[in-house]
Amino acid sequence: MRYDRFIKAAVAGLSLALAAPMTDASAEVLTVMRGAPSGALQVAMNRAVVVESDTPFTEVSIANPGIADISTLSDRTLYVLGKEPGRTTLTLLGADGRLITNVEVQVTPDIDEFKERLTQILPGEAIEVRTAANGIVLSGTVSSITRLDRALELAERYAPDRVSNLMSVGGVQQVMLKVRFAEMQRSVSKSLSSSLTARGTALGDNLGLVGGNGSLVGNDSITSALSGAVPGGNENNGAMLFGFNAGGLEVGILLEALESRGVVRTLAEPNLTALSGQEARFLAGGEYPVPVSQDGGAIAIEYKPFGVELNFTPRVVDGDIINLQLEAAVSSIDTTNGFTQGGFTVDAFRRRETSTTVEMRDGESFAIAGLLSDDFMDLNGQVPFVGDIPVLGALFRSAEYSRQQTELVIIVTPHLVTPTRGEALALPTDRVRPPTERDLFLYGRVAAENGPGAAPQQGAAAEVARQDFSGSYGYVMD
């Protein structure tokens, strides 16, 4: 008997020792009384709340066991365990079968644990967490879109498809993109050719070059012999003609030499501003009409854009880190590679474009595209066998040499920008006003600078407008 009492006492003590910490540390306590209205019971998901009754109960039921589960500890105490977010009703009945009370049980996501994880993952972010119905509501201001996405992704773990986002992104969220197209083209070509003709009775009076146009000053027989071999005036700066008579034989020699060099520079700098996450488009140029055949033989016109084009979508990732998805192009009409059919002539386009995605910080630059092209051509033609004769063979040979080099680079630079007051902005037209009739007809002035009313009188724009530009400034063409 003593051993039985000792064992029972030990088991009871162990049960109290295990139950007491659970009740104090992991569960709240709600006390209900017969006949008194009971408030709603808030239970976090996967947490338990102790319900105590002043009247012993004999029967306990839960309306929706999928939302909450119950476990009795005694005839006056029970556990309510939250399983899924939602609302249900807990009913307690007494020994006489009469209703003791109905308790509304509301199971919500465990925001305490969520707040702890949110603080660990995103320290320093002012994010407020609340519960609403069966979900989580996030509000406050975060420093970047990336951190906002991380907070939403974490909240989805605790309340799938029940997260309301009321957060806003602080800091600068507008991006100005500066794109620089720089292209240099260099070309060199050299040619050297000669022609030898003869005409006379000794050769049957029928040896010579025929065809083309052009005229020579000199003997008519040499003119007819070299007709068409000499280019017209101003066509070739390096053409020289020699002619002489040897008895009944008339000889004409034509030497052609030409060297040309050229340099072309192309520079375009489009600037465009857009809100983070929004697409912006820019076109400085025009549209070229292109005829397109339709069903039934009809001809329709489609317009193809050309000029400087820029499409980009910026995203401020974190702080001053900017993600850029962009398409940039510079195109122009190329009349040398056209297409003609049915009376229509369609010119080709010369186009340099790039499409890429890069990431950089505010004010940093990136060369997103580059091209180095070097085309070389060397052509040598001669009369067989005769052209191989030393010295004299040069009269029966022609040589051509050409080389074209192209260098292209595209550089992008993003900037985080904020708007300013309109009075602080200066325009190119702020320093110029239309001329009066006296200035135009009497003095021949087409515009007057810094005249009365031609510029703002105060602010940053006025400082620029009052500058005295002497000499050449702006874009000057010599």
Side-chain angles (χ1 to χ4, degrees), residues 309-373:
E309 302 176 62
L310 176 61
N311 303 333
F312 85 107
T313 303
R315 291 181 176 86
V316 181
V317 178
D318 191 1
D320 61 346
I321 300 178
I322 305 171
N323 180 282
L324 293 175
Q325 182 179 358
L326 61 94
E327 298 177 359
V330 174
S331 58
S332 58
I333 299 176
D334 186 3
T335 58
T336 61
N337 295 313
F339 173 75
T340 302
Q341 185 177 8
F344 290 98
T345 299
V346 181
D347 295 326
F349 285 87
R350 189 171 181 270
R351 187 177 180 88
R352 287 82 71 202
E353 63 178 339
T354 181
S355 177
T356 185
T357 301
V358 294
E359 189 171 279
M360 65 192 77
R361 294 185 180 274
D362 176 25
E364 294 181 341
S365 297
F366 219 126
I368 61 172
L371 171 67
L372 178 61
S373 176

Side-chain angles (χ1 to χ4, degrees), residues 51-64:
V51 178
E52 294 181 346
S53 174
D54 65 335
T55 304
F57 53 80
T58 58
E59 186 177 352
V60 181
S61 63
I62 191 76
N64 189 347

Side-chain angles (χ1 to χ4, degrees), residues 86-132:
R87 292 188 178 185
T88 186
T89 302
L90 173 66
T91 303
L92 302 179
L93 300 177
D96 54 358
R98 298 179 61 185
L99 176 67
I100 298 177
T101 186
N102 284 327
V103 180
E104 181 182 351
V105 179
Q106 181 178 358
V107 180
T108 60
D110 188 2
I111 63 173
D112 293 332
E113 180 182 0
F114 171 61
K115 289 180 179 179
E116 295 177 2
R117 298 294 179 266
L118 194 63
T119 304
Q120 295 172 358
I121 297 175
L122 300 175
E125 296 294 339
I127 301 178
E128 299 180 1
V129 182
R130 299 182 179 88
T131 58

